[in-house]
C-alpha cells in the first residue's frame, strides 16, 4: 500500500477579496457556484475580453479552485494521474484534466462505457503540450458553462479556454510546418501527425460547443489536410495507429453531420469511412446518412438519380439501414453496460436512429406519395421511444438524441402535441449535455413548422437559407 502522504488539508470558502483587481468579489470554491458582490467595481465580463498571455494563465490560479479532486486510479489512466500530480504545472491544470476525464469525455463519447477520449486521448497530454493545451481549452470552456453568464467563474474559465486555445493554435502552426518539412523522418512525421490530429479534433469539438459559430469548419479542413498527408506516408507508427484510426473516425463522422447543411461548397467526392470497427458505435448509420446526402445532392444537381449508379437505388439504401440496425443490436450485446436498463436504453437509441434514417431517406430521395404512411409511423415511434427513454434513463444517452429528435421534428407540421414533445426533449438534451448548436437546430425546426407554404421540404429550406449563411447549423 502506498502512503497517500500528509500535509495541510486546505479548502477555499466563499471569501471576499479585500484588495486587488477582485476587490469586493467572492473567490471561487470547489463545489459552490461563484457569487459576485454588488460592489461598484468592474464587471467580470472584462475578464473575457482581456488579451491573455501564458503568465496571465498562471495568474488565474489565484482565482481558480485551489483544491483538486483526484479520481481513483482505476478511472484515470496512470500517466495522467502522475501528470496531474506534477508540481511543475499550474494548480488549475489538474482540475481541468479531471473535469475532462469526468464530464467532457462522457459527453464526447457515443457510449460512456467505451470511451476512447478518456482511454486514448487524455494520456497523450503527458507527451504533447499541444494536446494538453487543447484538452485544457475544451475543459475550461465546458467548466465555464457551470456558472451563470454574468458570473466571475464563467468569465475566468472562458478566459482560460481562450488562452489555452490560442496557445494550442500557435503550437499547431509549428507542428504543421514541421510536417511539411522534407527533412522530417517518416517515424517522426507519423508521431507528430497523431498528436497534431488529436489537437485539431479536440479544438474542433471545442468549437462545436460555441453556438452560432462555424469555427469548427476551419478545424475540419485542417484535419482533412493532416489525414491526407498521413495517407501519403509509407508507414505508420504502430503504437499510435489505433489512436489515428479513432481520430479519423471522429473526423469522418463530424464531416457527415456537417454535410447535412452544406450545399454550396458540398464535395461530391466520396469520403472513405475508416475500416476499423473499433469505437465505431453508430458509424453504420452514419455511413448510410452520408450516402443519402450524396444521393440527394446528386439528384438536385442532375435532376434525377441513375438507378445503376455507384450509389445504388432506394431499395439498397433501405437494406443498408436494416443492416445497420442489426449490426448495432449485435454490438449492444458486446458492450459491458453497468445494468440491463442501460443496455435497454442503448437499444432504444438504436431504434430511434433506425427510424430517423428511414425518414431522412424518404425525404431526400423518394417521390412516392405512399411513403408518407411509413414516415409517419417512424416519426411516431421516435416520439414513443424518446418519452420512454426520458422516463427511465434521463441523461444517459442525451448526447445521442439530436439526430432522431430533429428528423421527427421535421415531420410535425400541424401536430402541436408532437411539437411540444420535441421542444421539451431538446430542452432536456441541452440541460444535460450542453447547448452546443442545439438551440439553433430547434429554432430551425420551429421555423419549418411555422412556414408551411414557403418551402417544399426542410432540405429545400436549409438550401435556400445557406445562400445567406443563415443555416450553418450542426445537427449533433
Amino acid at each position: 500500500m502506498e502512503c497517500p502522504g500528509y500535509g495541510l488539508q486546505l479548502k477555499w470558502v466563499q471569501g471576499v477579496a479585500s484588495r486587488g483587481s477582485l476587490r469586493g468579489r467572492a473567490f471561487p470554491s470547489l463545489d459552490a457556484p461563484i457569487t459576485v458582490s454588488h460592489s461598484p467595481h468592474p464587471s467580470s465580463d472584462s475578464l473575457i475580453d482581456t488579451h491573455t498571455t501564458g503568465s496571465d494563465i498562471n495568474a488565474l490560479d489565484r482565482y481558480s479552485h485551489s483544491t483538486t479532486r483526484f479520481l481513483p486510479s482505476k478511472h484515470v489512466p496512470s500517466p495522467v494521474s502522475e501528470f496531474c500530480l506534477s508540481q511543475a504545472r499550474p494548480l488549475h491544470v489538474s482540475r481541468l484534466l479531471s473535469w475532462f476525464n469526468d464530464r467532457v469525455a462522457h459527453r464526447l463519447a457515443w457510449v460512456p462505457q467505451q470511451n476512447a477520449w478518456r482511454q486514448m486521448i487524455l494520456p497523450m497530454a503527458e507527451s504533447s503540450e499541444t494536446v494538453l493545451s487543447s484538452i485544457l481549452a475544451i475543459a475550461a470552456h465546458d467548466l465555464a458553462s457551470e456558472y451563470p453568464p454574468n458570473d466571475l467563474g464563467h468569465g475566468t474559465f472562458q478566459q482560460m479556454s481562450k488562452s489555452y486555445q490560442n496557445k494550442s493554435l500557435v503550437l499547431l502552426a509549428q507542428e504543421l510546418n514541421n510536417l511539411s518539412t522534407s527533412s522530417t523522418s517518416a517515424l517522426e512525421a507519423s508521431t507528430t501527425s497523431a498528436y497534431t490530429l488529436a489537437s485539431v479534433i479536440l479544438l474542433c469539438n471545442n468549437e462545436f460547443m460555441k453556438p452560432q459559430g462555424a469555427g469548427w469548419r476551419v478545424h475540419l479542413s485542417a484535419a482533412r489536410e493532416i489525414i491526407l498527408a498521413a495517407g501519403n506516408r509509407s508507414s505508420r507508427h504502430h503504437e499510435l495507429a489505433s489512436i489515428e484510426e479513432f481520430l479519423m473516425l471522429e473526423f469522418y463522422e463530424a464531416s457527415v453531420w456537417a454535410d447535412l447543411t452544406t450545399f454550396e461548397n458540398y464535395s461530391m467526392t466520396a469520403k472513405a469511412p475508416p475500416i476499423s470497427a473499433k469505437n465505431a458505435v453508430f458509424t453504420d448509420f452514419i455511413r448510410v446518412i452520408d450516402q443519402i446526402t450524396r444521393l440527394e445532392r446528386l439528384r438536385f444537381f442532375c435532376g434525377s438519380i441513375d438507378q445503376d449508379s455507384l450509389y445504388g437505388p432506394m431499395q439498397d439504401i433501405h437494406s443498408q439501414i436494416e443492416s445497420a440496425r442489426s449490426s448495432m443490436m449485435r454490438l449492444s450485446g458486446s458492450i459491458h453496460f453497468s445494468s440491463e436498463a442501460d443496455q435497454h436504453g442503448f437499444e432504444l437509441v438504436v431504434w430511434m436512429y433506425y427510424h430517423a434514417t428511414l425518414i431522412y431517406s424518404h425525404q431526400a430521395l423518394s417521390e412516392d406519395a405512399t411513403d408518407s404512411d411509413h414516415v409517419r409511423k417512424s416519426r411516431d415511434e421516435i416520439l414513443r421511444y424518446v418519452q420512454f427513454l426520458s422516463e427511465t434513463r434521463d441523461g444517459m444517452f442525451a448526447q445521442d438524441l439530436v439526430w432522431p429528435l430533429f428528423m421527427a421534428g421535421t415531420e410535425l407540421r400541424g401536430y402541436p402535441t408532437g411539437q411540444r414533445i420535441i421542444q421539451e426533449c431538446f430542452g432536456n438534451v441541452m440541460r444535460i449535455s450542453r447547448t452546443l448548436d442545439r438551440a439553433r437546430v430547434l429554432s430551425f425546426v420551429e421555423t419549418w413548422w411555422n412556414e408551411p407554404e414557403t418551402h417544399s421540404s426542410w432540405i429545400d429550406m436549409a438550401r435556400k437559407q445557406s445562400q445567406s449563411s443563415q443555416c450553418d447549423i450542426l445537427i449533433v
Side-chain angles (χ1 to χ4, degrees):
M1 297 179 63
E2 293 185 4
C3 174
Y6 296 91
L8 294 175
Q9 302 298 310
L10 303 176
K11 181 177 180 180
W12 284 105
V13 296
Q14 290 292 94
V16 177
S18 60
R19 60 184 177 180
S21 61
L22 291 183
R23 182 180 178 183
R25 296 182 185 167
F27 284 106
S29 71
L30 183 61
D31 299 308
I34 303 171
T35 57
V36 182
S37 84
H38 297 289
S39 303
H41 292 285
S43 167
S44 63
D45 292 340
S46 61
L47 286 171
I48 303 176
D49 298 326
T50 304
H51 178 70
T52 311
T53 63
S55 61
D56 294 322
I57 295 176
N58 295 334
L60 287 170
D61 284 323
R62 282 176 282 168
Y63 317 132
S64 183
H65 299 54
S66 63
T67 56
T68 304
R69 290 175 182 161
F70 292 102
L71 301 177
S73 58
K74 66 180 181 178
H75 293 301
V76 183
S78 56
V80 177
S81 297
E82 296 167 3
F83 181 82
C84 291
L85 292 168
S86 171
Q87 296 301 312
R89 295 291 175 182
L91 296 175
H92 64 264
V93 168
S94 55
R95 181 165 198 265
L96 291 178
L97 289 173
S98 294
W99 188 264
F100 181 91
N101 183 82
D102 267 352
R103 306 293 184 87
V104 180
H106 176 90
R107 295 189 186 100
L108 294 176
W110 286 109
V111 179
Q113 286 79 4
Q114 291 192 182
N115 202 314
W117 294 100
R118 184 178 294 127
Q119 298 163 1
M120 291 184 178
I121 305 304
L122 187 55
M124 296 176 78
E126 185 183 19
S127 305
S128 169
E129 195 74 15
T130 315
V131 175
L132 171 64
S133 299
S134 301
I135 288 176
L136 296 179
I138 191 173
H141 190 131
D142 187 77
L143 189 51
S145 301
E146 294 290 301
Y147 301 89
N150 61 343
D151 201 293
L152 175 61
H154 182 86
T156 298
F157 288 111
Q158 281 282 27
Q159 184 182 5
M160 277 190 184
S161 178
K162 185 181 295 185
S163 300
Y164 279 117
Q165 176 177 277
N166 291 339
K167 182 177 181 181
S168 180
L169 289 172
V170 171
L171 295 171
L172 275 172
Q174 297 171 359
E175 292 179 4
L176 290 171
N177 182 60
N178 293 336
L179 284 174
S180 63
T181 304
S182 57
S183 60
T184 305
S185 68
L187 182 61
E188 182 182 356
S190 178
T191 304
T192 303
S193 175
Y195 286 104
T196 303
L197 185 58
S199 300
V200 171
I201 296 296
L202 281 163
L203 290 178
C204 186
N205 278 281
N206 189 36
E207 292 293 337
F208 287 162
M209 297 170 63
K210 301 176 182 179
Q212 298 185 21
W216 47 269
R217 289 193 182 273
V218 176
H219 295 301
L220 277 183
S221 297
R224 181 181 295 106
E225 295 303 316
I226 296 170
I227 292 171
L228 289 174
N232 296 326
R233 294 198 306 266
S234 57
S235 61
R236 183 182 296 169
H237 195 306
H238 69 282
E239 293 181 0
L240 298 174
S242 60
I243 295 176
E244 284 191 311
E245 288 174 356
F246 165 69
L247 293 170
M248 286 189 286
L249 179 65
E250 287 293 308
F251 164 76
Y252 170 75
E253 294 179 350
S255 299
V256 172
W257 297 124
D259 283 347
L260 286 172
T261 53
T262 301
F263 300 95
E264 292 298 317
N265 298 318
Y266 180 80
S267 173
M268 293 302 297
T269 304
K271 294 183 292 295
I275 300 174
S276 174
K278 188 176 182 181
N279 298 302
V281 180
F282 279 89
T283 307
D284 286 346
F285 280 120
I286 295 173
R287 282 180 178 137
V288 184
I289 293 168
D290 183 25
Q291 199 165 2
I292 295 169
T293 301
R294 282 189 279 122
L295 278 167
E296 195 281 332
R297 303 301 186 267
L298 183 67
R299 177 185 181 185
F300 178 79
F301 289 122
C302 301
S304 63
I305 299 176
D306 181 2
Q307 297 298 311
D308 298 323
S309 69
L310 174 66
Y311 306 114
M314 276 286 292
Q315 185 176 358
D316 183 49
I317 290 291
H318 288 170
S319 66
Q320 290 181 49
I321 297 173
E322 292 286 349
S323 177
R325 181 187 61 79
S326 300
S327 175
M328 294 304 304
M329 287 301 183
R330 289 194 298 271
L331 177 64
S332 173
S334 64
I335 296 175
H336 301 294
F337 291 101
S338 57
S339 67
E340 290 186 6
D342 288 348
Q343 181 173 358
H344 181 56
F346 175 76
E347 290 173 354
L348 288 180
V349 176
V350 171
W351 275 108
M352 291 170 69
Y353 264 72
Y354 168 77
H355 286 293
T357 310
L358 277 177
I359 292 173
Y360 184 46
S361 69
H362 287 297
Q363 291 175 338
L365 306 176
S366 179
E367 296 179 351
D368 189 350
T370 61
D371 286 340
S372 58
D373 291 337
H374 299 292
V375 171
R376 280 193 294 270
K377 180 180 178 181
S378 289
R379 175 201 68 187
D380 293 343
E381 288 294 275
I382 291 173
L383 294 177
R384 184 168 68 89
Y385 289 139
V386 75
Q387 290 180 92
F388 183 79
L389 187 65
S390 63
E391 292 170 0
T392 55
R393 296 296 296 163
D394 187 23
M396 182 68 179
F397 300 103
Q399 69 271 17
D400 305 327
L401 301 181
V402 178
W403 168 247
L405 287 175
F406 175 80
M407 292 313 303
T410 61
E411 291 293 332
L412 287 171
R413 274 181 168 177
Y415 185 13
T417 302
Q419 291 173 7
R420 285 192 292 271
I421 294 173
I422 294 297
Q423 290 168 327
E424 180 181 349
C425 289
F426 259 103
N428 288 335
V429 168
M430 289 186 280
R431 174 179 55 82
I432 295 167
S433 62
R434 298 296 185 237
T435 302
L436 280 70
D437 218 12
R438 293 155 183 172
R440 289 206 302 157
V441 172
L442 176 59
S443 177
F444 176 89
V445 175
E446 291 172 335
T447 301
W448 166 248
W449 292 339
N450 297 325
E451 298 182 5
E453 306 299 330
T454 308
H455 307 282
S456 60
S457 69
W458 75 264
I459 300 173
D460 176 58
M461 175 173 147
R463 179 177 279 113
K464 291 177 180 176
Q465 287 189 359
S466 69
Q467 297 173 1
S468 58
S469 302
Q470 295 179 18
C471 191
D472 203 5
I473 59 175
L474 192 70
I475 306 171
V476 68

